[in-house]
């Protein structure tokens, strides 16, 4: 079975076509989609949607672009409350983004750390977004000594990957792995231990080749799996099994849902 470990189904790119998309996914070989919140509203909605679709899981958190949410009262309490839902797998997407000058960097660091501490208290993994900010991202994680998590849509080099992996964290590959320009990322794919890897679409963004430029969808996650399987010279079916085990190991709570109907059907 295929798992999309990271998608944003609540982005406006899906809009009114979301239900249609969810129906398509429910009939596909993609058996689990981890729908990731990026602000309070999308986090709430992601949790709500899990009740309607068995294959949907969720993560709750505030992305560095949306940290204005923290000016609202109770942002932290809201994340806490939402995270209690059993279909919430992680705190995320949280992190640092110095590539776009959208939010104050100092505030990003503060809210990143605060959210890691929520995860730590609840024992939930973190889903980390990090762009042009590896050192600060990793330093903050080190300050909290909480390494239970994944660097999603990984786009750094081998050195950074090794630091992340040495601390026991996971690395997740997106459609970027298929991009012509991403030789450096394919080098990372060659060395990452197979028990520490996840795959995602980051929909609606980063559609993999040959769908590049289109709105991405969890339905395209297979292209990411296939590219990685090719790089490592392993069978797709084997990789699917590995990725599933990794997903359950990182996102503990998912075992209650993966072992349900879909799992039995496929095994
Ligand atoms: Zn994302």
């Amino acid at each position: 079975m295929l798992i999309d470990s990271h998608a944003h189904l609540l982005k406006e790119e899906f809009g009114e076509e979301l239900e249609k998309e969810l129906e398509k996914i429910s009939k596909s070989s993609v058996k689990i989609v981890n729908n990731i919140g990026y602000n309070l509203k999308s986090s709430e909605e992601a949790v709500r949607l899990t009740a309607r679709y068995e294959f949907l899981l969720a993560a709750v958190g505030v992305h560095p672009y949306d940290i204005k949410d923290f000016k609202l009262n109770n942002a932290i309490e809201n994340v806490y409350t939402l995270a209690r839902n059993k279909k919430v797998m992680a705190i995320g997407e949280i992190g640092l983004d110095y590539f776009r000058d959208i939010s104050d960097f100092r505030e990003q660091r503060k809210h990143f750390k605060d959210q890691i501490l929520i995860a730590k208290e609840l024992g939930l993994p973190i889903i980390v977004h990090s762009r042009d900010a590896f050192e600060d991202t990793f330093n903050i994680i080190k300050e909290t000594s909480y390494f239970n998590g994944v660097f999603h849509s990984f786009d750094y080099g081998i050195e950074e990957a090794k630091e992340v992996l040495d601390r026991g964290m996971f690395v997740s590959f997106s459609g970027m792995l298929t991009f012509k320009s991403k030789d450096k990322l394919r080098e990372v794919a060659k060395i990452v231990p197979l028990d520490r890897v996840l795959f995602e679409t980051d929909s609606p963004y980063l559609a993999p080749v040959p769908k590049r430029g289109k709105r991405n969808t969890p339905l395209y996650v297979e292209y990411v799996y296939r590219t990685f399987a090719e790089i490592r010279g392993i069978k797709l079916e084997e990789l699917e099994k590995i990725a599933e085990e990794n997903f359950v190991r990182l996102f503990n709570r998912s075992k209650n849902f993966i072992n349900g109907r879909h799992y039995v059907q496929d095994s």
Side-chain angles (χ1 to χ4, degrees):
M1 65 182 241
L2 293 164
I3 295 177
D4 184 353
S5 73
H6 188 116
H8 303 287
L9 298 172
L10 294 161
K11 289 276 182 179
E12 60 189 13
E13 282 83 347
F14 288 103
E16 286 175 1
E17 287 166 53
L18 177 61
E19 294 292 332
K20 220 171 70 191
E21 197 65 37
L22 288 168
E23 286 306 320
K24 267 196 243 167
I25 298 166
S26 71
K27 292 176 189 124
S28 77
S29 53
V30 180
K31 299 303 181 195
I32 292 284
V33 176
N34 208 10
N35 186 19
I36 314 294
Y38 44 92
N39 52 28
L40 284 179
K41 193 164 169 267
S42 60
S43 296
E44 275 166 21
E45 192 54 34
V47 172
R48 208 172 304 142
L49 263 188
T50 62
R52 291 186 39 223
Y53 290 89
E54 199 185 346
F55 67 89
L56 282 183
L57 303 174
V60 299
V62 180
H63 186 284
Y65 293 167
D66 284 278
I67 53 175
K68 57 185 179 305
D69 271 16
F70 284 98
K71 296 222 167 66
L72 299 167
N73 290 326
N74 301 327
I76 290 278
E77 284 94 311
N78 279 324
V79 172
Y80 259 115
T81 309
L82 288 168
R84 293 223 167 80
N85 185 291
K86 285 195 186 87
K87 278 190 116 179
V88 171
M89 297 297 117
I91 301 297
E93 152 171 12
I94 59 175
L96 301 180
D97 193 310
Y98 296 172
F99 177 71
R100 286 196 197 142
D101 196 7
I102 290 181
S103 327
D104 179 75
F105 295 169
R106 216 186 51 206
E107 273 184 61
Q108 287 190 33
R109 290 191 287 272
K110 178 185 176 342
H111 298 310
F112 179 40
K113 189 169 180 180
D114 285 350
Q115 293 184 93
I116 299 176
L117 293 174
I118 297 177
K120 189 175 182 178
E121 195 184 319
L122 296 174
L124 283 175
I126 50 174
I127 297 172
V128 179
H129 169 104
S130 180
R131 195 161 183 202
D132 284 357
F134 182 77
E135 216 181 306
D136 281 3
T137 307
F138 208 53
N139 280 337
I140 290 172
I141 295 173
K142 280 191 247 174
E143 279 169 33
T144 65
S145 13
Y146 194 62
F147 300 98
N148 177 19
V150 54
F151 269 67
H152 108 88
S153 195
F154 195 81
D155 192 24
Y156 291 118
I158 285 191
E159 243 168 75
E160 290 88 350
K162 280 184 177 158
E163 284 197 57
V164 167
L165 294 161
D166 279 350
R167 299 286 189 154
M169 294 184 80
F170 286 69
V171 165
S172 178
F173 292 99
S174 67
M176 282 197 286
L177 192 63
T178 70
F179 294 180
K180 224 179 170 175
S181 59
K182 293 290 178 184
D183 282 334
K184 233 175 75 182
L185 193 56
R186 283 183 287 276
E187 290 303 312
V188 176
K190 283 180 193 164
I191 60 110
V192 62
L194 288 177
D195 63 352
R196 224 73 77 59
V197 69
L198 294 175
F199 304 99
E200 63 173 278
T201 58
D202 207 14
S203 301
Y205 314 116
L206 303 173
V209 175
K211 305 290 183 184
R212 200 166 175 191
K214 292 194 175 168
R215 181 183 71 195
N216 202 358
T217 152
L219 297 167
Y220 297 162
V221 78
E222 187 172 335
Y223 296 109
V224 185
Y225 274 78
R226 279 190 186 283
T227 305
F228 187 89
E230 218 166 276
I231 290 170
R232 296 298 285 260
I234 52 179
K235 287 206 176 94
L236 177 65
E237 302 74 51
E238 196 188 329
L239 187 60
E240 286 180 31
K241 238 179 239 164
I242 290 168
E244 183 186 330
E245 281 169 19
N246 293 346
F247 187 86
V248 176
R249 196 161 4 94
L250 177 64
F251 301 118
N252 260 269
R253 286 180 177 176
S254 69
K255 63 177 181 288
N256 301 315
F257 305 100
I258 285 191
N259 285 318
R261 185 169 58 84
H262 295 303
Y263 188 87
V264 173
Q265 245 175 19
D266 275 20
S267 55

